[in-house]
Amino acid sequence: MSDIVVIGGGIAGLSAAAQLSEHFSVTVLEREQATGYHASGRSAAMFEQNYGLPSTVALNKASAQYHREANGGYLSPRGLMIIAAREDAEAFDDDVVTMGIERISKDRAVELVPILDPAKFTFAGYHEAGYDIDTDRLMQDFIRQIRSNGGAIVTKAEVTAITRQTDGWQVVAGGQAYNAAKLVNAAGAWADAVAQAAGIAPIGITPRRRSMARIPAPEDRDLRHWPMFFGVGESWYAKPDAGALLVSPADEDVVAPQDAWADDMVLAEGLARYEGMVRTPVTRLLASWAGLRSFAPDKALVLGPDPDEPDFIWCAGQGGYGFQTAPAASQLLADLVRGVTPALPEDLVAQLLPDRLRT
């Protein structure tokens, strides 16, 4: 018997469980053989606090100090650049305003990313305050926090039944029954399926595929100090990664909850958009994969007790912002579960509660 069972061992579930373990006995159930297997293990791992909806940006900003200072900090400098062709001037202007990016010259853009072809783009903008997140260490530190507080993390524990009982919930996973007073749904792409299994109305969580290719360093260059660079409107992006370059078409195709894989045609289209701005063609892939970014209907995170069943707590709809928002989102969730007034503004909390999605 635990006070709380958390279903899902990605960054959402681990961060929530870590915060909750400071006040409750917690058990995390993860269907795969390891934590962080799905979306969390396939993240581009970037912290850009102006990235996302206003409610997401607020969570990013509230998470910034934790990312910089907790356990020695999880951020390292990367920088972020957007480039655009002449016909995309209006969209480029929108990105500059939305993301707080400084316009730079084409020469400066090529200085930052030498493979860019100045004949293929007209506008460029740069933001120094973009950072890599050490996602593995962040997850491992949350795991250590859970275990040091007496919590348990159970892998290979696929949920097969959830039953509402008079004193809480019984969850059957991996052939074992787990009982708890409260249930946290941090199941990512499977969040609505978990809700339905528990007899809770779904809220419209939609998984969307995001594909990625890993290519050799163009021209055998040292990429360590290159920024992450985007096509305007996030039509594609590229990011240095351990001596290679990640390139994504930034796709958001709706798919069923699954162990996702990259669609070859979608990946090829994204690589073509990337090639449309650089001098060096893509001749081979080192690897390709895909992850699922799961969104609520309004694309804001869903955090807090279900209005019809307060002992069922949503921690869903991270939409690719799970690592950025984890410190503040998990603290908000813990505050709501404990019944204490959150540190975040009341109007922001209202934008994140599941109540907004119930008619």
Side-chain angles (χ1 to χ4, degrees):
M1 181 75 184
S2 301
D3 294 328
I4 298 173
V5 161
V6 177
I7 298 177
I11 184 59
L14 293 175
S15 58
Q19 293 283 9
L20 291 165
S21 72
E22 297 292 330
H23 310 280
F24 305 97
S25 61
V26 177
T27 298
V28 178
L29 303 177
E30 167 55 49
R31 62 182 286 171
E32 304 297 345
Q33 62 183 355
T35 56
Y37 178 84
H38 287 285
S40 296
R42 309 172 195 190
S43 169
M46 190 75 176
F47 181 77
E48 163 50 68
Q49 68 178 20
N50 294 322
Y51 185 40
L53 294 177
S55 60
T56 304
V57 170
L59 288 172
N60 294 340
K61 291 180 177 179
S63 298
Q65 183 176 359
Y66 187 99
H67 281 306
R68 292 191 185 105
E69 299 177 6
N71 302 311
Y74 299 97
L75 304 181
S76 55
R78 173 58 58 199
L80 183 148
M81 184 167 65
I82 294 177
I83 53 177
R86 183 178 303 278
E87 61 268 24
D88 295 318
E90 185 175 349
F92 175 76
D93 290 343
D94 289 342
D95 281 351
V96 166
V97 173
T98 301
M99 301 188 71
I101 290 174
E102 177 185 355
R103 296 170 187 270
I104 60 172
S105 68
K106 293 172 68 172
D107 288 344
R108 175 59 175 153
V110 174
E111 181 182 341
L112 288 167
V113 180
I115 61 168
L116 291 178
D117 187 340
K120 295 179 178 178
F121 72 97
T122 303
F123 308 104
Y126 178 68
H127 186 38
E128 186 177 27
Y131 303 90
D132 288 339
I133 305 174
D134 189 338
T135 55
D136 181 66
R137 189 163 66 85
L138 182 61
M139 286 195 291
Q140 292 304 318
D141 283 350
F142 282 135
I143 288 170
R144 276 189 282 272
Q145 184 178 353
I146 293 165
R147 289 177 172 156
S148 68
N149 288 326
I153 299 171
V154 185
T155 56
K156 294 186 286 188
E158 182 172 2
V159 173
T160 53
I162 303 174
T163 306
R164 187 69 169 102
Q165 300 182 320
T166 56
D167 57 348
W169 300 92
Q170 182 177 87
V171 180
V172 178
Q176 176 71 41
Y178 300 87
N179 296 286
K182 296 180 184 294
L183 182 62
V184 174
N185 179 10
W190 290 265
D192 268 357
V194 165
Q196 290 176 303
I200 305 295
I203 56 175
I205 295 294
T206 302
R208 294 176 178 269
R209 184 185 57 218
R210 173 59 56 93
S211 303
M212 190 78 72
R214 193 167 190 264
I215 65 174
E219 301 175 344
D220 293 322
R221 289 180 177 270
D222 182 352
L223 315 181
R224 286 176 295 175
H225 303 297
W226 287 15
M228 186 176 189
F229 51 111
F230 287 77
V232 68
E234 198 179 347
S235 54
W236 59 270
Y237 64 80
K239 181 178 184 288
D241 178 67
L245 193 66
L246 302 180
V247 181
S248 173
D251 46 322
E252 289 192 350
D253 296 328
V254 176
V255 296
Q258 61 187 272
D259 188 359
W261 65 92
D263 180 285
D264 289 344
M265 184 59 70
V266 171
L267 205 56
E269 290 170 353
L271 289 168
R273 292 194 291 271
Y274 156 81
E275 288 178 310
M277 291 291 177
V278 301
R279 295 182 290 99
T280 54
V282 177
T283 57
R284 67 185 178 97
L285 304 187
L286 299 174
S288 65
W289 64 88
L292 300 184
R293 303 160 79 240
S294 299
F295 295 90
D298 59 4
K299 293 199 170 182
L301 277 71
V302 186
L303 304 169
D306 189 274
D308 299 323
E309 179 48 82
D311 290 336
F312 184 93
I313 297 104
W314 291 88
C315 183
Q318 279 73 21
Y321 307 106
F323 281 104
Q324 291 204 136
T325 61
S330 59
Q331 182 61 62
L332 171 59
L333 191 85
D335 289 343
L336 293 170
V337 171
R338 293 176 60 208
V340 302
T341 302
L344 295 173
E346 185 177 349
D347 61 335
L348 170 61
V349 174
Q351 296 174 52
L352 300 168
L353 291 173
D355 306 49
R356 73 185 194 273
L357 300 171
R358 300 293 194 204
T359 56

